[in-house]
Amino acid sequence: MARLRAVVHDERMNALIGWMLTGIVVLTAVESLLTDAFLWAGVALLVVVVAAVPAVVTSEWTMMVPWPLLLVAAVAMIVRRLGISVEIAGYFVVVALALIVVIELDAFTPVEMTRRFAVAFAALMTLAVQGVWTIAQYYSDQWLGTAFLHSQRELQLDIVVVTAIGITMAVVFEWYFEKVEHVGSHASPIASSE
């Protein structure tokens, strides 16, 4: 029980696990570059950059989002690279990226969000990230000859599914942070409120 508590409540342990997971995402980016999957390499690098922003800005390596969120991103990138449920893995990467942004805003800035607003904002952020992803897919299809977008119906279904997954993940993470009081939750903030 003490080890589990250390993994959940200790900033250094959270950062260590978070950096290891971020390293896995970097490896998937490199592998994507080597296999000419440039768009996915860009998404992986974007996840890494967004995850590293708090540590870079504060010059504190322990300033990381909670590692379970980075685990979702890393597992989704690995599953996508293995070719298993590529579409669903892509949805989870989009949702993880949106949630990382929301949690960083809540945990590392003076912005304070109520639980309901955080869930709604995460859903809106998911839609925004999906919109940018759709535009990137369109231009990748045009300029790089990829075939991400097949039909308007598929595009609309993607938006509906990623929104549903985004809302579900936001509710699950909000519940998780409330029950477990993970580093970065309202009960155990990372940044001081000064």
Side-chain angles (χ1 to χ4, degrees), residues 91-159:
Y91 299 147
F92 277 94
V93 171
V94 167
V95 170
L97 182 59
L99 286 173
I100 290 169
V101 170
V102 171
I103 289 175
E104 284 182 356
L105 283 172
D106 191 43
F108 300 113
T109 68
V111 173
E112 291 185 26
M113 298 183 217
T114 64
R115 289 178 189 89
R116 287 185 184 151
F117 181 80
V119 169
F121 188 65
L124 289 174
M125 182 61 72
T126 300
L127 281 171
V129 171
Q130 179 63 29
V132 171
W133 176 239
T134 301
I135 292 167
Q137 288 175 320
Y138 173 79
Y139 284 110
S140 176
D141 288 353
Q142 298 299 312
W143 296 339
L144 302 176
T146 57
F148 285 114
L149 302 176
H150 301 290
S151 69
Q152 184 175 357
R153 182 184 182 286
E154 182 182 337
L155 174 63
Q156 291 168 341
L157 184 62
D158 283 351
I159 292 170

